[in-house]
Amino acid sequence: MVRLAAAAASFSRDVAFDLDRIAVIVAHARDAGAAVLALPDGALGGYLDDLRNPDPCSLPPALDPDGDEIRSVARLAGDMVVCVGYCEGGPPDGHGPVRYNSAVCLTGDGVLGRHRKVHHPAGVAGLFRSGDRFDAFDTPAGRMGMLIDHDKTFPEAARSLALDGAGMIACLSAWPTSLTNCAPRMAQDRQARLFDLYDQSRAAENQVVWLSANQSGRHGALHFLGRAKVVGPGGEVLARTWSKGGLALAEVDPPAMIGAARAVLHHLEAAPGHLPPPVTPVALAPGAAYRRVPMTLSVVTTPPTQHRRNIVPSPSVPLAKLGFLTIGSFERDDPRAGHETTLEVIELGERLGFDSAWLRHRHLQYGISSPVAVLAAASQRTSRIEFGTAVTPLGWENPLRLAEDLSTVDVLSGGRLNPGVSVGPPMHFADVRDALYPDTADAEDLSYERVQRLVRLVRGDRASTFAGVEGIEEFSDHVQPHAPGLADRIWYGAASLNSARWAGEQGLNLLTSSVVKAPADAGPGDSDFAAIQHDQIRAFREAHPDGAAARVSQGLVVIPTDSATAEQRESYTAYVEARTPRTTAPQGPARLLFAPDLVGSSDEIAEKLYAHAAFRDVTEVVFALPFSFAAADYEQILTDIATKLGPALGWSPR
């Protein structure tokens, strides 16, 4: 098995900035376990700023194919195989400077292969010389080849590489949206459709694994598509980034996949056998032949530039943790059946590979009132999946007693508990205070201090002034059992900017949900849920001791319909439409703003998530299941999330 990565990212004329960005992308890919990384065309020096009327005075810098910039990328690559596109400067001839639109594949040991773009769009053909061959080459990850954007529109380009033994083809692009008929949404753009079609068609017709890297963002008059992806030999998209920058990551077994694809119908053997006659390679600069070239590496060091903040467009790494949240509802006259269904849903989640299962906390309702007790039962039916509460309102709890319960469940589960908490008076406090706190309601501290007490007790602070033996009984002055590490897994459910900032100051983890509090001074046009949640996450991390590494989990409602029946789709759509009006403006005195529920195919939901400013801030999610759905609906939704939506977001099941 090998993990492949294709990048979507924005690059510029500033090669120092580009090297910084490449360094971060390579680091992210390495952290994700990638062995092969395809970077876009023009990753060193950027691409053109206009395809119809390009400015000859504003071309990408012409780089030496064995120069310091290429050596720097090789040094960054180390043991990874990295493909990168750039503008190659060749020896001048009688017509002036010579440029090639080129790509190089390398590791820390040297160059593995090179390619010069053969097919140029009409508007830029006069700016670059054309290459004249398509050659495969050997790499530590297997035999592969490279193409550069417009090359893939010609079927013989990929076929030549496949016939030369390439099992993987990396296509490096700087492919923009339509110049003549730009669509209102990227997904509807003609060039987006063609870009995806070529990727999937070339992979399927040649039965190869296809890596498609592309520039994202804007440069001059061009708006690049992004949409990096890894495609299997059957034309199936294994991972993609959509329009935003990031990495498409997929773990594959190329020989096995290709063998399976060619087992019945081997497209290459069925070819008519006619190929263009071989051509003589063009003359290259000394040392730049199409072969492995050892290098004595030296890294280009450059002064800081103003571009170095936000080096990789979010999301730059795949989704790391995928969980789900359920209310665990039950019928008034048969509560056991509902609780049993909740336990079965958690067991299903473990089988599907989810990282975590979370329970809502509902008092005096027909939902789970004691999630800690239910999770204790779940811990005895599962072995791997983590558990969480989202959230336990501490106004209903005694922090000492809750600390004991949480620690007990964490010990029973083998350290799998993630308690989520919040503060404030209980809902309908005036109606319940006499039953909850008959003598102390006015004296109860329902502020942040209640969270701090819980954390201190879980961590092991003294809970009593007495410890010792009394008769045959031994007493501890600390909460027992002690659950090591549990305090570091406590999450705070924040809905406002101030509470998110406070959670960061306390070093807690942050749970964000589908509800935020709109700022009091926000006007009707300022009620952008994603922007508000993004600001809260930023404030949390700015205040947190771990900074950008502080853990944040987002909990939107998603309803994928990939395997849903027509009846289910109709029901889901009606559910979402009924809840949509509350998403248009803040609700009530608390100015609560609700996120729109996301319903549709996994590909459609993934695209919406990648367009969500707050989603791009996180690598952990706990998708919320809708209220009051049937057990069969939950099974379908969870299965689609685990098998369709999660992989579309770069997640792999555990």
Side-chain angles (χ1 to χ4, degrees), residues 47-64:
Y47 190 58
L48 302 174
D49 52 14
D50 194 334
L51 292 182
R52 288 177 292 188
N53 298 293
D55 182 358
C57 298
S58 182
L59 299 178
L63 304 180
D64 183 339

PDB file of all heavy atoms in Angstrom, residues 47-64:
ATOM      1  N   TYR A  47       2.113  30.828 -12.657  1.00  0.00           N
ATOM      2  CA  TYR A  47       1.761  30.586 -14.054  1.00  0.00           C
ATOM      3  C   TYR A  47       1.466  31.927 -14.715  1.00  0.00           C
ATOM      4  O   TYR A  47       1.744  32.997 -14.162  1.00  0.00           O
ATOM      5  CB  TYR A  47       0.568  29.624 -14.135  1.00  0.00           C
ATOM      6  CG  TYR A  47       0.277  29.111 -15.532  1.00  0.00           C
ATOM      7  CD1 TYR A  47       1.254  28.430 -16.255  1.00  0.00           C
ATOM      8  CD2 TYR A  47      -0.964  29.317 -16.121  1.00  0.00           C
ATOM      9  CE1 TYR A  47       1.002  27.961 -17.538  1.00  0.00           C
ATOM     10  CE2 TYR A  47      -1.232  28.842 -17.404  1.00  0.00           C
ATOM     11  CZ  TYR A  47      -0.241  28.174 -18.105  1.00  0.00           C
ATOM     12  OH  TYR A  47      -0.491  27.717 -19.373  1.00  0.00           O
ATOM     13  N   LEU A  48       0.891  31.912 -15.877  1.00  0.00           N
ATOM     14  CA  LEU A  48       0.549  33.143 -16.588  1.00  0.00           C
ATOM     15  C   LEU A  48      -0.580  33.875 -15.877  1.00  0.00           C
ATOM     16  O   LEU A  48      -1.335  33.288 -15.095  1.00  0.00           O
ATOM     17  CB  LEU A  48       0.130  32.808 -18.022  1.00  0.00           C
ATOM     18  CG  LEU A  48       1.167  32.054 -18.879  1.00  0.00           C
ATOM     19  CD1 LEU A  48       0.557  31.672 -20.215  1.00  0.00           C
ATOM     20  CD2 LEU A  48       2.416  32.906 -19.075  1.00  0.00           C
ATOM     21  N   ASP A  49      -0.725  35.164 -16.169  1.00  0.00           N
ATOM     22  CA  ASP A  49      -1.820  35.931 -15.571  1.00  0.00           C
ATOM     23  C   ASP A  49      -2.977  36.140 -16.545  1.00  0.00           C
ATOM     24  O   ASP A  49      -3.997  36.726 -16.197  1.00  0.00           O
ATOM     25  CB  ASP A  49      -1.327  37.278 -15.039  1.00  0.00           C
ATOM     26  CG  ASP A  49      -0.556  38.082 -16.074  1.00  0.00           C
ATOM     27  OD1 ASP A  49      -0.626  37.722 -17.277  1.00  0.00           O
ATOM     28  OD2 ASP A  49       0.117  39.046 -15.691  1.00  0.00           O
ATOM     29  N   ASP A  50      -2.837  35.665 -17.773  1.00  0.00           N
ATOM     30  CA  ASP A  50      -3.905  35.785 -18.760  1.00  0.00           C
ATOM     31  C   ASP A  50      -3.608  34.775 -19.869  1.00  0.00           C
ATOM     32  O   ASP A  50      -2.463  34.652 -20.305  1.00  0.00           O
ATOM     33  CB  ASP A  50      -3.959  37.205 -19.338  1.00  0.00           C
ATOM     34  CG  ASP A  50      -5.255  37.486 -20.099  1.00  0.00           C
ATOM     35  OD1 ASP A  50      -5.866  36.522 -20.597  1.00  0.00           O
ATOM     36  OD2 ASP A  50      -5.647  38.662 -20.191  1.00  0.00           O
ATOM     37  N   LEU A  51      -4.623  34.064 -20.327  1.00  0.00           N
ATOM     38  CA  LEU A  51      -4.418  33.092 -21.398  1.00  0.00           C
ATOM     39  C   LEU A  51      -4.753  33.653 -22.774  1.00  0.00           C
ATOM     40  O   LEU A  51      -4.278  33.145 -23.792  1.00  0.00           O
ATOM     41  CB  LEU A  51      -5.261  31.833 -21.146  1.00  0.00           C
ATOM     42  CG  LEU A  51      -4.849  30.974 -19.952  1.00  0.00           C
ATOM     43  CD1 LEU A  51      -5.750  29.746 -19.857  1.00  0.00           C
ATOM     44  CD2 LEU A  51      -3.397  30.554 -20.048  1.00  0.00           C
ATOM     45  N   ARG A  52      -5.592  34.689 -22.817  1.00  0.00           N
ATOM     46  CA  ARG A  52      -5.981  35.236 -24.114  1.00  0.00           C
ATOM     47  C   ARG A  52      -4.994  36.275 -24.609  1.00  0.00           C
ATOM     48  O   ARG A  52      -4.648  36.305 -25.790  1.00  0.00           O
ATOM     49  CB  ARG A  52      -7.389  35.820 -24.024  1.00  0.00           C
ATOM     50  CG  ARG A  52      -8.473  34.756 -23.909  1.00  0.00           C
ATOM     51  CD  ARG A  52      -9.854  35.347 -23.753  1.00  0.00           C
ATOM     52  NE  ARG A  52     -10.031  36.027 -22.462  1.00  0.00           N
ATOM     53  CZ  ARG A  52     -11.183  36.490 -22.008  1.00  0.00           C
ATOM     54  NH1 ARG A  52     -12.267  36.367 -22.758  1.00  0.00           N
ATOM     55  NH2 ARG A  52     -11.272  37.059 -20.833  1.00  0.00           N
ATOM     56  N   ASN A  53      -4.553  37.131 -23.698  1.00  0.00           N
ATOM     57  CA  ASN A  53      -3.593  38.174 -24.066  1.00  0.00           C
ATOM     58  C   ASN A  53      -2.479  38.233 -23.029  1.00  0.00           C
ATOM     59  O   ASN A  53      -2.339  39.218 -22.289  1.00  0.00           O
ATOM     60  CB  ASN A  53      -4.294  39.538 -24.164  1.00  0.00           C
ATOM     61  CG  ASN A  53      -5.365  39.563 -25.233  1.00  0.00           C
ATOM     62  OD1 ASN A  53      -5.074  39.467 -26.422  1.00  0.00           O
ATOM     63  ND2 ASN A  53      -6.621  39.689 -24.793  1.00  0.00           N
ATOM     64  N   PRO A  54      -1.667  37.190 -22.944  1.00  0.00           N
ATOM     65  CA  PRO A  54      -0.608  37.179 -21.931  1.00  0.00           C
ATOM     66  C   PRO A  54       0.431  38.258 -22.196  1.00  0.00           C
ATOM     67  O   PRO A  54       0.767  38.548 -23.355  1.00  0.00           O
ATOM     68  CB  PRO A  54      -0.015  35.780 -22.064  1.00  0.00           C
ATOM     69  CG  PRO A  54      -0.348  35.354 -23.459  1.00  0.00           C
ATOM     70  CD  PRO A  54      -1.661  35.980 -23.770  1.00  0.00           C
ATOM     71  N   ASP A  55       0.907  38.832 -21.121  1.00  0.00           N
ATOM     72  CA  ASP A  55       1.911  39.888 -21.214  1.00  0.00           C
ATOM     73  C   ASP A  55       3.297  39.250 -21.299  1.00  0.00           C
ATOM     74  O   ASP A  55       3.752  38.616 -20.341  1.00  0.00           O
ATOM     75  CB  ASP A  55       1.824  40.789 -19.982  1.00  0.00           C
ATOM     76  CG  ASP A  55       2.808  41.946 -20.040  1.00  0.00           C
ATOM     77  OD1 ASP A  55       3.583  42.030 -21.012  1.00  0.00           O
ATOM     78  OD2 ASP A  55       2.809  42.752 -19.085  1.00  0.00           O
ATOM     79  N   PRO A  56       4.007  39.392 -22.421  1.00  0.00           N
ATOM     80  CA  PRO A  56       5.338  38.780 -22.545  1.00  0.00           C
ATOM     81  C   PRO A  56       6.327  39.306 -21.513  1.00  0.00           C
ATOM     82  O   PRO A  56       7.345  38.664 -21.252  1.00  0.00           O
ATOM     83  CB  PRO A  56       5.770  39.146 -23.975  1.00  0.00           C
ATOM     84  CG  PRO A  56       4.502  39.489 -24.694  1.00  0.00           C
ATOM     85  CD  PRO A  56       3.602  40.085 -23.650  1.00  0.00           C
ATOM     86  N   CYS A  57       6.019  40.468 -20.935  1.00  0.00           N
ATOM     87  CA  CYS A  57       6.923  41.050 -19.937  1.00  0.00           C
ATOM     88  C   CYS A  57       6.598  40.591 -18.521  1.00  0.00           C
ATOM     89  O   CYS A  57       7.255  41.004 -17.564  1.00  0.00           O
ATOM     90  CB  CYS A  57       6.869  42.578 -20.010  1.00  0.00           C
ATOM     91  SG  CYS A  57       7.406  43.252 -21.600  1.00  0.00           S
ATOM     92  N   SER A  58       5.575  39.777 -18.396  1.00  0.00           N
ATOM     93  CA  SER A  58       5.166  39.322 -17.069  1.00  0.00           C
ATOM     94  C   SER A  58       5.068  37.802 -17.023  1.00  0.00           C
ATOM     95  O   SER A  58       4.112  37.239 -16.513  1.00  0.00           O
ATOM     96  CB  SER A  58       3.805  39.942 -16.696  1.00  0.00           C
ATOM     97  OG  SER A  58       3.426  39.546 -15.393  1.00  0.00           O
ATOM     98  N   LEU A  59       6.082  37.152 -17.573  1.00  0.00           N
ATOM     99  CA  LEU A  59       6.097  35.695 -17.605  1.00  0.00           C
ATOM    100  C   LEU A  59       6.719  35.142 -16.323  1.00  0.00           C
ATOM    101  O   LEU A  59       7.449  35.845 -15.615  1.00  0.00           O
ATOM    102  CB  LEU A  59       6.888  35.212 -18.814  1.00  0.00           C
ATOM    103  CG  LEU A  59       6.346  35.635 -20.189  1.00  0.00           C
ATOM    104  CD1 LEU A  59       7.260  35.118 -21.289  1.00  0.00           C
ATOM    105  CD2 LEU A  59       4.926  35.127 -20.387  1.00  0.00           C
ATOM    106  N   PRO A  60       6.467  33.878 -16.013  1.00  0.00           N
ATOM    107  CA  PRO A  60       7.116  33.272 -14.846  1.00  0.00           C
ATOM    108  C   PRO A  60       8.628  33.300 -15.005  1.00  0.00           C
ATOM    109  O   PRO A  60       9.149  33.264 -16.133  1.00  0.00           O
ATOM    110  CB  PRO A  60       6.578  31.836 -14.851  1.00  0.00           C
ATOM    111  CG  PRO A  60       5.333  31.883 -15.670  1.00  0.00           C
ATOM    112  CD  PRO A  60       5.551  32.948 -16.693  1.00  0.00           C
ATOM    113  N   PRO A  61       9.350  33.355 -13.917  1.00  0.00           N
ATOM    114  CA  PRO A  61      10.821  33.348 -14.027  1.00  0.00           C
ATOM    115  C   PRO A  61      11.311  32.044 -14.641  1.00  0.00           C
ATOM    116  O   PRO A  61      10.827  30.961 -14.312  1.00  0.00           O
ATOM    117  CB  PRO A  61      11.280  33.488 -12.573  1.00  0.00           C
ATOM    118  CG  PRO A  61      10.119  33.033 -11.748  1.00  0.00           C
ATOM    119  CD  PRO A  61       8.893  33.403 -12.519  1.00  0.00           C
ATOM    120  N   ALA A  62      12.267  32.148 -15.552  1.00  0.00           N
ATOM    121  CA  ALA A  62      12.842  30.970 -16.199  1.00  0.00           C
ATOM    122  C   ALA A  62      13.919  30.393 -15.292  1.00  0.00           C
ATOM    123  O   ALA A  62      14.908  31.066 -14.969  1.00  0.00           O
ATOM    124  CB  ALA A  62      13.421  31.344 -17.560  1.00  0.00           C
ATOM    125  N   LEU A  63      13.727  29.135 -14.860  1.00  0.00           N
ATOM    126  CA  LEU A  63      14.612  28.515 -13.884  1.00  0.00           C
ATOM    127  C   LEU A  63      15.504  27.474 -14.544  1.00  0.00           C
ATOM    128  O   LEU A  63      15.114  26.794 -15.491  1.00  0.00           O
ATOM    129  CB  LEU A  63      13.791  27.861 -12.768  1.00  0.00           C
ATOM    130  CG  LEU A  63      12.808  28.776 -12.034  1.00  0.00           C
ATOM    131  CD1 LEU A  63      12.064  27.982 -10.964  1.00  0.00           C
ATOM    132  CD2 LEU A  63      13.522  29.965 -11.415  1.00  0.00           C
ATOM    133  N   ASP A  64      16.693  27.349 -14.010  1.00  0.00           N
ATOM    134  CA  ASP A  64      17.642  26.328 -14.437  1.00  0.00           C
ATOM    135  C   ASP A  64      17.099  24.959 -14.013  1.00  0.00           C
ATOM    136  O   ASP A  64      16.763  24.762 -12.838  1.00  0.00           O
ATOM    137  CB  ASP A  64      18.984  26.597 -13.761  1.00  0.00           C
ATOM    138  CG  ASP A  64      20.086  25.637 -14.199  1.00  0.00           C
ATOM    139  OD1 ASP A  64      19.764  24.550 -14.704  1.00  0.00           O
ATOM    140  OD2 ASP A  64      21.266  25.974 -13.988  1.00  0.00           O
TER     141      ASP A  64
END
